[in-house]
Amino acid sequence: MTKIMAACALSKLDKWQEQAIQTKEKYKEIEMSEEFEQLTADVIARTSFGSSYELGKEVFEVQKELFQRAVASSTDITIPGSEYIPTKWNVQTWKLNRRAKNTLKRIIQSKLNSEDETYSDSRYGDDLLGLMLGTLMDESSRKQGIWLNMDEIIDECKMFFFAGHETTSHLLTWTVFVLSLHGEWQERLREEVLRECGTEIPDADKLGKLKLVRTHQFLPLLFNIMHTSVSSSHITLLLSHQEQMNED
């Protein structure tokens, strides 16, 4: 899955580079929080659902809207049974829930119908959903009483989104913000990455060699900054046209 994540990241970097080249100014300002939300959604969709990632992204968008609606109504005074009244708000929420559930059912059913022994880790695919289905459908798992029905599998798929989307995107945004304030750490981390990985896409073994990236020296710096008050999450990406021409 490392290659999938790297491909998503490279695609996003290419998009930023293209925006910087096309701008008429000497710099391009990018809202990093929105960009990282898109990137993490793309990564989770591809690693969770494989070839069905487009449908997965659709589910994530619905889940995001449902989450926003839940937050918006969290301060409302709840009357017992009011969630069953067909108000405009409830009807829209029901529609979103049905849309997410039906889309996930389509993805799961397509996986079950496309059983393939050529996959290395699971006959239902090497993505997270495929691996989960492969484990559940295994005969030894059934004998041990390990089984999930369709609704439980759907809930697990939803958890893929909630467990990693906003948390990861926010951490990436703050990491870039902290690095923008501390250029010396940019240099140290860049040197280690280039030394261990070169210009190749890192695999799991190479990532394990990035000790400075995972060290406890950098994490306190990140979390100390996260506890400070920041007025804006805008980060300016400066790429001059002249530098771009020189690189080409």
Side-chain angles (χ1 to χ4, degrees):
M1 294 184 184
T2 305
K3 292 183 178 179
I4 296 176
M5 297 178 186
C8 293
L10 289 173
S11 176
K12 180 62 70 174
L13 289 172
D14 289 340
K15 179 183 176 182
W16 292 347
Q17 188 177 55
E18 183 179 351
Q19 291 179 12
I21 294 173
Q22 292 178 352
T23 185
K24 297 180 180 180
E25 305 294 335
K26 292 184 178 180
Y27 65 89
K28 173 65 177 179
E29 185 173 291
I30 296 177
E31 177 54 66
M32 300 302 289
S33 61
E34 294 179 1
E35 294 291 321
F36 282 135
E37 282 185 6
Q38 295 172 10
L39 174 60
T40 51
D42 192 27
V43 169
I44 294 174
R46 290 177 183 273
T47 56
S48 298
F49 302 113
S51 59
S52 302
Y53 77 94
E54 287 291 351
L55 288 175
K57 289 176 70 174
E58 179 183 332
V59 174
F60 290 157
E61 290 300 320
V62 175
Q63 287 293 111
K64 184 177 180 180
E65 187 173 349
L66 284 170
F67 178 76
Q68 292 171 345
R69 294 173 73 86
V71 172
S73 60
S74 61
T75 57
D76 295 344
I77 299 175
T78 304
I79 301 174
S82 61
E83 66 271 23
Y84 302 109
I85 300 174
T87 62
K88 184 177 180 180
W89 179 273
N90 285 343
V91 169
Q92 181 61 22
T93 301
W94 298 340
K95 287 181 179 179
L96 290 171
N97 274 314
R98 282 197 300 270
R99 181 182 170 189
K101 185 174 183 178
N102 291 336
T103 303
L104 284 171
K105 277 186 177 180
R106 287 164 55 196
I107 296 174
I108 295 168
Q109 196 60 53
S110 67
K111 287 280 185 184
L112 294 174
N113 294 338
S114 60
E115 183 177 347
D116 191 343
E117 298 290 345
T118 61
Y119 288 117
S120 59
D121 297 316
S122 168
R123 62 182 184 271
Y124 298 106
D126 293 333
D127 49 82
L128 292 177
L129 177 58
L131 294 174
M132 182 173 66
L133 290 175
T135 301
L136 293 174
M137 297 300 177
D138 186 71
E139 186 175 346
S140 62
S141 297
R142 293 188 178 186
K143 289 181 179 179
Q144 296 175 26
I146 302 175
W147 177 254
L148 296 177
N149 59 37
M150 180 64 77
D151 287 337
E152 290 171 330
I153 295 175
I154 288 174
D155 288 338
E156 290 296 324
C157 292
K158 291 179 179 179
M159 189 58 64
F160 292 160
F161 173 76
F162 283 118
H165 184 221
E166 288 199 357
T167 51
T168 305
S169 65
H170 290 169
L171 180 60
L172 287 171
T173 302
W174 275 107
T175 300
V176 171
F177 177 76
V178 172
L179 289 175
S180 71
L181 298 179
H182 298 273
E184 70 279 7
W185 273 98
Q186 290 188 45
E187 293 301 324
R188 294 176 65 181
L189 296 172
R190 185 180 294 111
E191 287 175 4
E192 181 183 56
V193 171
L194 291 175
R195 181 177 65 252
E196 299 295 342
C197 304
T199 57
E200 298 179 359
I201 296 176
D203 54 23
D205 293 333
K206 290 181 179 179
L207 289 175
K209 297 178 181 179
L210 300 177
K211 297 180 179 180
L212 188 60
V213 173
R214 300 182 294 116
T215 188
H216 297 295
Q217 298 178 42
F218 176 61
L219 292 179
L221 173 66
L222 174 63
F223 289 112
N224 284 338
I225 297 296
M226 288 175 69
H227 283 87
T228 62
S229 177
V230 181
S231 60
S232 174
S233 63
H234 282 79
I235 299 174
T236 301
L237 177 68
L238 297 173
L239 285 176
S240 70
H241 294 301
Q242 186 61 45
E243 291 175 344
Q244 183 63 41
M245 292 175 65
N246 292 338
E247 291 177 1
D248 293 338

